[in-house]
């Protein structure tokens, strides 16, 4: 069997997954901050909401998309690691 590129690509997959996890964490913090800011501003202005739900909904959609990408990359990473183990043992 010929040499595969999987071991060479694995560090890139791991790095990308970690970067996406970092971005997802930042978005979670930003969404929390937006919600707190909206509540404070709404209370000050005497309105029910200051930042429309559509805005926070878009952030939530982005977080969900990042979560799906992270899950996919984790599955790819696991498959690559299993392939690498089989190649070195077999």
């Amino acid at each position: 069997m010929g040499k595969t590129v999987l071991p060479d690509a694995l560090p890139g997959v791991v790095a990308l997954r970690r970067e996406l996890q970092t971005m997802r964490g930042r978005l979670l913090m930003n969404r929390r901050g937006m919600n707190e800011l909206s509540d404070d501003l709404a209370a000050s202005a005497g309105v029910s909401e200051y930042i429309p739900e559509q805005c926070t909904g878009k952030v939530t959609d982005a977080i969900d998309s990042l979560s799906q990408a992270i899950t996919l990359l984790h599955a790819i990473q696991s498959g690559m690691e299993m392939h690498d183990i089989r190649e070195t043992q077999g």
Side-chain angles (χ1 to χ4, degrees):
M1 179 180 243
K3 184 178 187 236
T4 65
V5 297
L6 292 179
D8 296 336
L10 183 59
V13 170
V14 172
L16 179 58
R17 182 179 55 82
R18 287 184 182 150
E19 184 64 30
L20 291 178
Q21 287 173 319
T22 299
M23 283 190 275
R24 184 175 155 268
R26 288 182 188 141
L27 279 174
L28 287 167
M29 297 282 288
N30 288 340
R31 183 181 63 185
R32 186 176 307 125
M34 280 176 49
N35 288 338
E36 291 171 2
L37 178 63
S38 180
D39 292 345
D40 292 346
L41 292 172
S44 297
V47 295
S48 61
E49 82 178 351
Y50 196 82
I51 299 175
E53 183 63 34
Q54 292 170 320
C55 293
T56 54
K58 295 289 183 189
V59 174
T60 299
D61 291 347
I63 291 168
D64 291 345
S65 294
L66 283 171
S67 295
Q68 291 173 1
I70 290 165
T71 300
L72 176 63
L73 286 171
H74 188 264
I76 291 169
Q77 176 186 343
S78 296
M80 292 171 94
E81 288 169 347
M82 288 303 298
H83 178 81
D84 190 39
I85 289 169
R86 277 188 246 125
E87 260 194 11
T88 56
Q89 290 178 353

